[in-house]
Amino acid sequence: MLDAVLRLTRLLDAPEDIPALAPLAVRELTYRLLKSDEGWRLRQIAAGDGQARRIARAIDWLKQHYAEPLRIDEFARELHMSPSSLHHHFKAVTAMSPCSTRSSSGCRRPAG
């Protein structure tokens, strides 16, 4: 994978080659990422209907409703998941629980 990244960055020295060669390097990178151990996550996100997509929507919801009380049972219902499924999949995708994510900097209400 590193070779493809290096080829892609070296194209900056030859801008005239970018249109012909960059798509090949990007295609190789995409292929290698999808075949990697974590490729299943990328496939889920790309499909748009997997658990990872639901968790992305959950994070957006947490950001938008930061000031509101968080009731996990209602939150899970909103995402069409059980509370235990929400917790399990949320932690698998983010490595944190919904409550921990909410209190992290990524879910703080924007200043101003």
Side-chain angles (χ1 to χ4, degrees):
M1 188 175 330
L2 183 57
D3 289 340
V5 171
L6 289 174
R7 283 195 305 277
L8 194 58
T9 55
R10 286 183 186 136
L11 285 175
L12 295 172
D13 294 331
E16 69 279 0
D17 294 339
I18 291 174
L21 299 177
L24 299 173
V26 170
R27 184 179 173 121
E28 180 182 351
L29 283 170
T30 302
Y31 173 80
R32 293 193 183 282
L33 286 169
L34 290 173
K35 294 292 286 180
S36 71
D37 290 342
E38 298 299 321
W40 65 272
R41 289 181 201 245
L42 294 173
R43 289 188 295 276
Q44 252 190 357
I45 292 168
D49 58 356
Q51 295 297 348
R53 191 74 200 118
R54 285 185 183 178
I55 300 309
R57 283 198 319 263
I59 292 169
D60 285 343
W61 189 93
L62 287 172
K63 288 178 182 178
Q64 292 171 6
H65 298 91
Y66 180 79
E68 300 171 20
L70 178 62
R71 294 194 40 127
I72 293 295
D73 55 338
E74 292 174 8
F75 185 43
R77 196 173 320 118
E78 180 76 25
L79 297 166
H80 306 287
M81 302 173 84
S82 70
S84 62
S85 179
L86 169 62
H87 189 292
H88 173 78
H89 291 291
F90 201 99
K91 196 160 188 170
V93 172
T94 66
M96 296 190 309
S97 72
C99 293
S100 297
T101 300
R102 181 183 174 141
S103 61
S104 74
S105 62
C107 287
R108 293 215 170 108
R109 188 171 29 169

